Amino acid sequence: LTSNRQAPDDGFYTPVAYKGAFEATDLWIDKWTLLAANGFLGSAAAPDPVILTISRSGSDAVISFLSQAGYRYRLLSATSLTSPIAWSDGEELAGNGTVQSFTVASPGPVRFFRVVAY
């Protein structure tokens, strides 16, 4: 579609080269909305929730979980759960349908962990 109309220059609108809410190559609601999870957007469904098992190997902590093929998993850590939580990025793994593990060296500062899938 073409148009000679311009977005108002008021700090709210962002000029773009397409009409509507979605660019053909950047569907910004993909992977995090209920529409995506239920397959309405033509993308993969959201990954299953990540359930962690934490064990020890010597002085290290081993954080294990069942992965799904086609998703990536990132270990995040924080030293406090006080809001707002400042999560720090850690290692990343590719899911393959098997149990995957992150090994965290110990001893160290007390940390809280989470694994996010995308």
PDB file of all heavy atoms in Angstrom, residues 22-56:
ATOM      1  N   PHE A  22       1.758  -4.386  12.270  1.00  0.00           N
ATOM      2  CA  PHE A  22       2.763  -5.423  12.076  1.00  0.00           C
ATOM      3  C   PHE A  22       3.507  -5.260  10.761  1.00  0.00           C
ATOM      4  O   PHE A  22       2.904  -5.160   9.698  1.00  0.00           O
ATOM      5  CB  PHE A  22       2.111  -6.811  12.101  1.00  0.00           C
ATOM      6  CG  PHE A  22       1.277  -7.030  13.327  1.00  0.00           C
ATOM      7  CD1 PHE A  22      -0.094  -7.014  13.250  1.00  0.00           C
ATOM      8  CD2 PHE A  22       1.877  -7.232  14.556  1.00  0.00           C
ATOM      9  CE1 PHE A  22      -0.870  -7.211  14.379  1.00  0.00           C
ATOM     10  CE2 PHE A  22       1.108  -7.427  15.689  1.00  0.00           C
ATOM     11  CZ  PHE A  22      -0.268  -7.415  15.606  1.00  0.00           C
ATOM     12  N   GLU A  23       4.812  -5.316  10.856  1.00  0.00           N
ATOM     13  CA  GLU A  23       5.652  -5.367   9.665  1.00  0.00           C
ATOM     14  C   GLU A  23       5.706  -6.823   9.212  1.00  0.00           C
ATOM     15  O   GLU A  23       5.700  -7.742  10.035  1.00  0.00           O
ATOM     16  CB  GLU A  23       7.057  -4.864  10.005  1.00  0.00           C
ATOM     17  CG  GLU A  23       7.972  -4.821   8.821  1.00  0.00           C
ATOM     18  CD  GLU A  23       9.334  -4.248   9.188  1.00  0.00           C
ATOM     19  OE1 GLU A  23       9.637  -4.091  10.376  1.00  0.00           O
ATOM     20  OE2 GLU A  23      10.076  -3.972   8.259  1.00  0.00           O
ATOM     21  N   ALA A  24       5.790  -7.049   7.917  1.00  0.00           N
ATOM     22  CA  ALA A  24       5.759  -8.414   7.384  1.00  0.00           C
ATOM     23  C   ALA A  24       6.895  -9.284   7.923  1.00  0.00           C
ATOM     24  O   ALA A  24       6.743 -10.490   8.085  1.00  0.00           O
ATOM     25  CB  ALA A  24       5.805  -8.387   5.865  1.00  0.00           C
ATOM     26  N   THR A  25       8.051  -8.706   8.227  1.00  0.00           N
ATOM     27  CA  THR A  25       9.196  -9.494   8.682  1.00  0.00           C
ATOM     28  C   THR A  25       9.433  -9.412  10.185  1.00  0.00           C
ATOM     29  O   THR A  25      10.392  -9.966  10.681  1.00  0.00           O
ATOM     30  CB  THR A  25      10.472  -9.038   7.954  1.00  0.00           C
ATOM     31  OG1 THR A  25      10.680  -7.648   8.245  1.00  0.00           O
ATOM     32  CG2 THR A  25      10.354  -9.240   6.456  1.00  0.00           C
ATOM     33  N   ASP A  26       8.592  -8.707  10.936  1.00  0.00           N
ATOM     34  CA  ASP A  26       8.799  -8.554  12.372  1.00  0.00           C
ATOM     35  C   ASP A  26       7.459  -8.598  13.100  1.00  0.00           C
ATOM     36  O   ASP A  26       6.859  -7.576  13.395  1.00  0.00           O
ATOM     37  CB  ASP A  26       9.525  -7.245  12.680  1.00  0.00           C
ATOM     38  CG  ASP A  26       9.811  -7.079  14.170  1.00  0.00           C
ATOM     39  OD1 ASP A  26       9.827  -8.087  14.895  1.00  0.00           O
ATOM     40  OD2 ASP A  26      10.021  -5.931  14.595  1.00  0.00           O
ATOM     41  N   LEU A  27       6.990  -9.799  13.371  1.00  0.00           N
ATOM     42  CA  LEU A  27       5.727  -9.977  14.081  1.00  0.00           C
ATOM     43  C   LEU A  27       6.024  -9.907  15.579  1.00  0.00           C
ATOM     44  O   LEU A  27       6.335 -10.888  16.230  1.00  0.00           O
ATOM     45  CB  LEU A  27       5.086 -11.312  13.713  1.00  0.00           C
ATOM     46  CG  LEU A  27       3.685 -11.560  14.232  1.00  0.00           C
ATOM     47  CD1 LEU A  27       2.721 -10.474  13.772  1.00  0.00           C
ATOM     48  CD2 LEU A  27       3.194 -12.915  13.778  1.00  0.00           C
ATOM     49  N   TRP A  28       5.957  -8.711  16.144  1.00  0.00           N
ATOM     50  CA  TRP A  28       6.430  -8.462  17.498  1.00  0.00           C
ATOM     51  C   TRP A  28       5.637  -9.176  18.589  1.00  0.00           C
ATOM     52  O   TRP A  28       6.093  -9.267  19.721  1.00  0.00           O
ATOM     53  CB  TRP A  28       6.508  -6.962  17.784  1.00  0.00           C
ATOM     54  CG  TRP A  28       5.234  -6.201  17.554  1.00  0.00           C
ATOM     55  CD1 TRP A  28       4.867  -5.562  16.411  1.00  0.00           C
ATOM     56  CD2 TRP A  28       4.170  -6.003  18.475  1.00  0.00           C
ATOM     57  NE1 TRP A  28       3.642  -4.975  16.559  1.00  0.00           N
ATOM     58  CE2 TRP A  28       3.184  -5.227  17.828  1.00  0.00           C
ATOM     59  CE3 TRP A  28       3.945  -6.394  19.785  1.00  0.00           C
ATOM     60  CZ2 TRP A  28       2.008  -4.846  18.450  1.00  0.00           C
ATOM     61  CZ3 TRP A  28       2.763  -6.008  20.398  1.00  0.00           C
ATOM     62  CH2 TRP A  28       1.819  -5.235  19.727  1.00  0.00           C
ATOM     63  N   ILE A  29       4.468  -9.716  18.288  1.00  0.00           N
ATOM     64  CA  ILE A  29       3.715 -10.450  19.311  1.00  0.00           C
ATOM     65  C   ILE A  29       4.019 -11.945  19.286  1.00  0.00           C
ATOM     66  O   ILE A  29       3.498 -12.707  20.093  1.00  0.00           O
ATOM     67  CB  ILE A  29       2.198 -10.216  19.179  1.00  0.00           C
ATOM     68  CG1 ILE A  29       1.663 -10.730  17.849  1.00  0.00           C
ATOM     69  CG2 ILE A  29       1.857  -8.774  19.396  1.00  0.00           C
ATOM     70  CD1 ILE A  29       0.155 -10.737  17.759  1.00  0.00           C
ATOM     71  N   ASP A  30       4.909 -12.367  18.393  1.00  0.00           N
ATOM     72  CA  ASP A  30       5.259 -13.777  18.290  1.00  0.00           C
ATOM     73  C   ASP A  30       6.027 -14.246  19.518  1.00  0.00           C
ATOM     74  O   ASP A  30       6.831 -13.525  20.069  1.00  0.00           O
ATOM     75  CB  ASP A  30       6.109 -13.994  17.033  1.00  0.00           C
ATOM     76  CG  ASP A  30       6.261 -15.459  16.693  1.00  0.00           C
ATOM     77  OD1 ASP A  30       5.465 -16.275  17.170  1.00  0.00           O
ATOM     78  OD2 ASP A  30       7.193 -15.783  15.934  1.00  0.00           O
ATOM     79  N   LYS A  31       5.778 -15.454  19.949  1.00  0.00           N
ATOM     80  CA  LYS A  31       6.466 -16.178  21.006  1.00  0.00           C
ATOM     81  C   LYS A  31       6.117 -15.754  22.433  1.00  0.00           C
ATOM     82  O   LYS A  31       6.606 -16.347  23.373  1.00  0.00           O
ATOM     83  CB  LYS A  31       7.987 -16.113  20.820  1.00  0.00           C
ATOM     84  CG  LYS A  31       8.446 -16.726  19.516  1.00  0.00           C
ATOM     85  CD  LYS A  31       9.608 -17.615  19.737  1.00  0.00           C
ATOM     86  CE  LYS A  31      10.312 -18.095  18.535  1.00  0.00           C
ATOM     87  NZ  LYS A  31       9.737 -18.649  17.440  1.00  0.00           N
ATOM     88  N   TRP A  32       5.315 -14.719  22.659  1.00  0.00           N
ATOM     89  CA  TRP A  32       5.009 -14.361  24.038  1.00  0.00           C
ATOM     90  C   TRP A  32       3.539 -14.098  24.308  1.00  0.00           C
ATOM     91  O   TRP A  32       3.169 -13.792  25.435  1.00  0.00           O
ATOM     92  CB  TRP A  32       5.858 -13.172  24.502  1.00  0.00           C
ATOM     93  CG  TRP A  32       5.586 -11.899  23.779  1.00  0.00           C
ATOM     94  CD1 TRP A  32       6.172 -11.484  22.629  1.00  0.00           C
ATOM     95  CD2 TRP A  32       4.657 -10.882  24.131  1.00  0.00           C
ATOM     96  NE1 TRP A  32       5.669 -10.275  22.249  1.00  0.00           N
ATOM     97  CE2 TRP A  32       4.737  -9.863  23.156  1.00  0.00           C
ATOM     98  CE3 TRP A  32       3.759 -10.705  25.180  1.00  0.00           C
ATOM     99  CZ2 TRP A  32       3.959  -8.718  23.194  1.00  0.00           C
ATOM    100  CZ3 TRP A  32       2.986  -9.556  25.211  1.00  0.00           C
ATOM    101  CH2 TRP A  32       3.098  -8.575  24.237  1.00  0.00           C
ATOM    102  N   THR A  33       2.686 -14.233  23.311  1.00  0.00           N
ATOM    103  CA  THR A  33       1.260 -14.008  23.544  1.00  0.00           C
ATOM    104  C   THR A  33       0.487 -15.324  23.498  1.00  0.00           C
ATOM    105  O   THR A  33       0.967 -16.334  22.997  1.00  0.00           O
ATOM    106  CB  THR A  33       0.666 -13.058  22.485  1.00  0.00           C
ATOM    107  OG1 THR A  33       0.758 -13.690  21.202  1.00  0.00           O
ATOM    108  CG2 THR A  33       1.400 -11.728  22.456  1.00  0.00           C
ATOM    109  N   LEU A  34      -0.736 -15.296  23.986  1.00  0.00           N
ATOM    110  CA  LEU A  34      -1.594 -16.470  23.934  1.00  0.00           C
ATOM    111  C   LEU A  34      -1.892 -16.857  22.485  1.00  0.00           C
ATOM    112  O   LEU A  34      -2.000 -18.037  22.158  1.00  0.00           O
ATOM    113  CB  LEU A  34      -2.895 -16.210  24.709  1.00  0.00           C
ATOM    114  CG  LEU A  34      -3.854 -17.389  24.829  1.00  0.00           C
ATOM    115  CD1 LEU A  34      -3.179 -18.558  25.542  1.00  0.00           C
ATOM    116  CD2 LEU A  34      -5.106 -16.984  25.557  1.00  0.00           C
ATOM    117  N   LEU A  35      -2.000 -15.869  21.603  1.00  0.00           N
ATOM    118  CA  LEU A  35      -2.221 -16.176  20.185  1.00  0.00           C
ATOM    119  C   LEU A  35      -1.083 -17.034  19.639  1.00  0.00           C
ATOM    120  O   LEU A  35      -1.317 -18.001  18.915  1.00  0.00           O
ATOM    121  CB  LEU A  35      -2.331 -14.885  19.371  1.00  0.00           C
ATOM    122  CG  LEU A  35      -3.592 -14.057  19.590  1.00  0.00           C
ATOM    123  CD1 LEU A  35      -3.476 -12.717  18.877  1.00  0.00           C
ATOM    124  CD2 LEU A  35      -4.814 -14.809  19.113  1.00  0.00           C
ATOM    125  N   ALA A  36       0.146 -16.707  19.981  1.00  0.00           N
ATOM    126  CA  ALA A  36       1.291 -17.494  19.514  1.00  0.00           C
ATOM    127  C   ALA A  36       1.279 -18.884  20.148  1.00  0.00           C
ATOM    128  O   ALA A  36       1.478 -19.889  19.465  1.00  0.00           O
ATOM    129  CB  ALA A  36       2.593 -16.767  19.833  1.00  0.00           C
ATOM    130  N   ALA A  37       1.038 -18.942  21.466  1.00  0.00           N
ATOM    131  CA  ALA A  37       1.045 -20.219  22.178  1.00  0.00           C
ATOM    132  C   ALA A  37      -0.008 -21.177  21.641  1.00  0.00           C
ATOM    133  O   ALA A  37       0.184 -22.389  21.654  1.00  0.00           O
ATOM    134  CB  ALA A  37       0.844 -19.988  23.672  1.00  0.00           C
ATOM    135  N   ASN A  38      -1.137 -20.656  21.153  1.00  0.00           N
ATOM    136  CA  ASN A  38      -2.209 -21.504  20.632  1.00  0.00           C
ATOM    137  C   ASN A  38      -2.130 -21.699  19.126  1.00  0.00           C
ATOM    138  O   ASN A  38      -3.051 -22.228  18.520  1.00  0.00           O
ATOM    139  CB  ASN A  38      -3.567 -20.929  21.025  1.00  0.00           C
ATOM    140  CG  ASN A  38      -3.844 -21.124  22.496  1.00  0.00           C
ATOM    141  OD1 ASN A  38      -3.346 -22.058  23.104  1.00  0.00           O
ATOM    142  ND2 ASN A  38      -4.621 -20.244  23.080  1.00  0.00           N
ATOM    143  N   GLY A  39      -1.035 -21.266  18.505  1.00  0.00           N
ATOM    144  CA  GLY A  39      -0.795 -21.534  17.095  1.00  0.00           C
ATOM    145  C   GLY A  39      -1.517 -20.633  16.117  1.00  0.00           C
ATOM    146  O   GLY A  39      -1.557 -20.923  14.928  1.00  0.00           O
ATOM    147  N   PHE A  40      -2.089 -19.524  16.564  1.00  0.00           N
ATOM    148  CA  PHE A  40      -2.825 -18.646  15.664  1.00  0.00           C
ATOM    149  C   PHE A  40      -1.929 -17.773  14.792  1.00  0.00           C
ATOM    150  O   PHE A  40      -2.387 -17.185  13.828  1.00  0.00           O
ATOM    151  CB  PHE A  40      -3.791 -17.747  16.447  1.00  0.00           C
ATOM    152  CG  PHE A  40      -4.967 -18.491  16.990  1.00  0.00           C
ATOM    153  CD1 PHE A  40      -5.000 -18.865  18.315  1.00  0.00           C
ATOM    154  CD2 PHE A  40      -6.032 -18.846  16.169  1.00  0.00           C
ATOM    155  CE1 PHE A  40      -6.077 -19.566  18.825  1.00  0.00           C
ATOM    156  CE2 PHE A  40      -7.116 -19.548  16.670  1.00  0.00           C
ATOM    157  CZ  PHE A  40      -7.132 -19.911  17.996  1.00  0.00           C
ATOM    158  N   LEU A  41      -0.664 -17.665  15.133  1.00  0.00           N
ATOM    159  CA  LEU A  41       0.232 -16.791  14.376  1.00  0.00           C
ATOM    160  C   LEU A  41       1.087 -17.550  13.377  1.00  0.00           C
ATOM    161  O   LEU A  41       1.918 -16.964  12.707  1.00  0.00           O
ATOM    162  CB  LEU A  41       1.133 -15.996  15.333  1.00  0.00           C
ATOM    163  CG  LEU A  41       0.375 -15.111  16.315  1.00  0.00           C
ATOM    164  CD1 LEU A  41       1.347 -14.407  17.230  1.00  0.00           C
ATOM    165  CD2 LEU A  41      -0.493 -14.109  15.580  1.00  0.00           C
ATOM    166  N   GLY A  42       0.931 -18.846  13.313  1.00  0.00           N
ATOM    167  CA  GLY A  42       1.715 -19.627  12.368  1.00  0.00           C
ATOM    168  C   GLY A  42       3.124 -19.888  12.852  1.00  0.00           C
ATOM    169  O   GLY A  42       3.962 -20.353  12.114  1.00  0.00           O
ATOM    170  N   SER A  43       3.404 -19.592  14.096  1.00  0.00           N
ATOM    171  CA  SER A  43       4.725 -19.839  14.638  1.00  0.00           C
ATOM    172  C   SER A  43       4.668 -21.028  15.576  1.00  0.00           C
ATOM    173  O   SER A  43       3.610 -21.557  15.873  1.00  0.00           O
ATOM    174  CB  SER A  43       5.236 -18.601  15.377  1.00  0.00           C
ATOM    175  OG  SER A  43       4.374 -18.322  16.461  1.00  0.00           O
ATOM    176  N   ALA A  44       5.820 -21.414  16.070  1.00  0.00           N
ATOM    177  CA  ALA A  44       5.882 -22.528  17.005  1.00  0.00           C
ATOM    178  C   ALA A  44       5.179 -22.153  18.302  1.00  0.00           C
ATOM    179  O   ALA A  44       5.156 -20.996  18.694  1.00  0.00           O
ATOM    180  CB  ALA A  44       7.333 -22.880  17.288  1.00  0.00           C
ATOM    181  N   ALA A  45       4.602 -23.137  18.941  1.00  0.00           N
ATOM    182  CA  ALA A  45       3.958 -22.891  20.229  1.00  0.00           C
ATOM    183  C   ALA A  45       5.006 -22.507  21.259  1.00  0.00           C
ATOM    184  O   ALA A  45       6.188 -22.766  21.081  1.00  0.00           O
ATOM    185  CB  ALA A  45       3.210 -24.145  20.669  1.00  0.00           C
ATOM    186  N   ALA A  46       4.564 -21.891  22.323  1.00  0.00           N
ATOM    187  CA  ALA A  46       5.481 -21.511  23.395  1.00  0.00           C
ATOM    188  C   ALA A  46       6.064 -22.775  24.017  1.00  0.00           C
ATOM    189  O   ALA A  46       5.413 -23.821  24.056  1.00  0.00           O
ATOM    190  CB  ALA A  46       4.732 -20.698  24.437  1.00  0.00           C
ATOM    191  N   PRO A  47       7.292 -22.693  24.511  1.00  0.00           N
ATOM    192  CA  PRO A  47       7.894 -23.879  25.136  1.00  0.00           C
ATOM    193  C   PRO A  47       7.183 -24.241  26.435  1.00  0.00           C
ATOM    194  O   PRO A  47       6.532 -23.403  27.058  1.00  0.00           O
ATOM    195  CB  PRO A  47       9.332 -23.427  25.420  1.00  0.00           C
ATOM    196  CG  PRO A  47       9.273 -21.944  25.473  1.00  0.00           C
ATOM    197  CD  PRO A  47       8.175 -21.543  24.534  1.00  0.00           C
ATOM    198  N   ASP A  48       7.315 -25.497  26.820  1.00  0.00           N
ATOM    199  CA  ASP A  48       6.770 -25.936  28.102  1.00  0.00           C
ATOM    200  C   ASP A  48       7.483 -25.198  29.227  1.00  0.00           C
ATOM    201  O   ASP A  48       8.636 -24.777  29.070  1.00  0.00           O
ATOM    202  CB  ASP A  48       6.982 -27.445  28.279  1.00  0.00           C
ATOM    203  CG  ASP A  48       6.146 -28.260  27.310  1.00  0.00           C
ATOM    204  OD1 ASP A  48       5.121 -27.742  26.815  1.00  0.00           O
ATOM    205  OD2 ASP A  48       6.527 -29.418  27.041  1.00  0.00           O
ATOM    206  N   PRO A  49       6.841 -25.069  30.393  1.00  0.00           N
ATOM    207  CA  PRO A  49       7.522 -24.446  31.534  1.00  0.00           C
ATOM    208  C   PRO A  49       8.793 -25.226  31.877  1.00  0.00           C
ATOM    209  O   PRO A  49       8.834 -26.449  31.763  1.00  0.00           O
ATOM    210  CB  PRO A  49       6.504 -24.544  32.667  1.00  0.00           C
ATOM    211  CG  PRO A  49       5.190 -24.697  31.981  1.00  0.00           C
ATOM    212  CD  PRO A  49       5.467 -25.437  30.705  1.00  0.00           C
ATOM    213  N   VAL A  50       9.818 -24.517  32.288  1.00  0.00           N
ATOM    214  CA  VAL A  50      11.092 -25.143  32.639  1.00  0.00           C
ATOM    215  C   VAL A  50      11.051 -25.503  34.121  1.00  0.00           C
ATOM    216  O   VAL A  50      10.840 -24.647  34.969  1.00  0.00           O
ATOM    217  CB  VAL A  50      12.269 -24.183  32.349  1.00  0.00           C
ATOM    218  CG1 VAL A  50      13.586 -24.841  32.719  1.00  0.00           C
ATOM    219  CG2 VAL A  50      12.266 -23.775  30.885  1.00  0.00           C
ATOM    220  N   ILE A  51      11.230 -26.784  34.415  1.00  0.00           N
ATOM    221  CA  ILE A  51      11.260 -27.261  35.801  1.00  0.00           C
ATOM    222  C   ILE A  51      12.703 -27.640  36.106  1.00  0.00           C
ATOM    223  O   ILE A  51      13.285 -28.499  35.434  1.00  0.00           O
ATOM    224  CB  ILE A  51      10.314 -28.455  36.003  1.00  0.00           C
ATOM    225  CG1 ILE A  51       8.881 -28.015  35.682  1.00  0.00           C
ATOM    226  CG2 ILE A  51      10.436 -28.998  37.421  1.00  0.00           C
ATOM    227  CD1 ILE A  51       7.876 -29.139  35.659  1.00  0.00           C
ATOM    228  N   LEU A  52      13.280 -26.984  37.107  1.00  0.00           N
ATOM    229  CA  LEU A  52      14.693 -27.163  37.419  1.00  0.00           C
ATOM    230  C   LEU A  52      14.906 -28.203  38.502  1.00  0.00           C
ATOM    231  O   LEU A  52      14.129 -28.310  39.450  1.00  0.00           O
ATOM    232  CB  LEU A  52      15.299 -25.837  37.893  1.00  0.00           C
ATOM    233  CG  LEU A  52      15.169 -24.655  36.943  1.00  0.00           C
ATOM    234  CD1 LEU A  52      15.798 -23.423  37.565  1.00  0.00           C
ATOM    235  CD2 LEU A  52      15.785 -24.962  35.598  1.00  0.00           C
ATOM    236  N   THR A  53      16.000 -28.940  38.348  1.00  0.00           N
ATOM    237  CA  THR A  53      16.509 -29.826  39.383  1.00  0.00           C
ATOM    238  C   THR A  53      17.916 -29.337  39.692  1.00  0.00           C
ATOM    239  O   THR A  53      18.734 -29.187  38.776  1.00  0.00           O
ATOM    240  CB  THR A  53      16.562 -31.291  38.901  1.00  0.00           C
ATOM    241  OG1 THR A  53      15.248 -31.702  38.531  1.00  0.00           O
ATOM    242  CG2 THR A  53      17.113 -32.199  39.974  1.00  0.00           C
ATOM    243  N   ILE A  54      18.191 -29.074  40.956  1.00  0.00           N
ATOM    244  CA  ILE A  54      19.505 -28.568  41.344  1.00  0.00           C
ATOM    245  C   ILE A  54      20.184 -29.616  42.216  1.00  0.00           C
ATOM    246  O   ILE A  54      19.605 -30.102  43.201  1.00  0.00           O
ATOM    247  CB  ILE A  54      19.386 -27.221  42.082  1.00  0.00           C
ATOM    248  CG1 ILE A  54      18.677 -26.211  41.167  1.00  0.00           C
ATOM    249  CG2 ILE A  54      20.765 -26.707  42.498  1.00  0.00           C
ATOM    250  CD1 ILE A  54      18.388 -24.882  41.810  1.00  0.00           C
ATOM    251  N   SER A  55      21.411 -29.974  41.824  1.00  0.00           N
ATOM    252  CA  SER A  55      22.182 -30.962  42.577  1.00  0.00           C
ATOM    253  C   SER A  55      23.612 -30.459  42.722  1.00  0.00           C
ATOM    254  O   SER A  55      23.959 -29.407  42.201  1.00  0.00           O
ATOM    255  CB  SER A  55      22.140 -32.316  41.857  1.00  0.00           C
ATOM    256  OG  SER A  55      22.683 -32.191  40.552  1.00  0.00           O
ATOM    257  N   ARG A  56      24.422 -31.227  43.425  1.00  0.00           N
ATOM    258  CA  ARG A  56      25.824 -30.852  43.618  1.00  0.00           C
ATOM    259  C   ARG A  56      26.719 -31.829  42.907  1.00  0.00           C
ATOM    260  O   ARG A  56      26.433 -33.017  42.824  1.00  0.00           O
ATOM    261  CB  ARG A  56      26.165 -30.840  45.096  1.00  0.00           C
ATOM    262  CG  ARG A  56      25.431 -29.748  45.856  1.00  0.00           C
ATOM    263  CD  ARG A  56      25.985 -29.658  47.227  1.00  0.00           C
ATOM    264  NE  ARG A  56      27.262 -28.953  47.116  1.00  0.00           N
ATOM    265  CZ  ARG A  56      27.610 -27.930  47.865  1.00  0.00           C
ATOM    266  NH1 ARG A  56      26.805 -27.518  48.789  1.00  0.00           N
ATOM    267  NH2 ARG A  56      28.761 -27.340  47.716  1.00  0.00           N
TER     268      ARG A  56
END
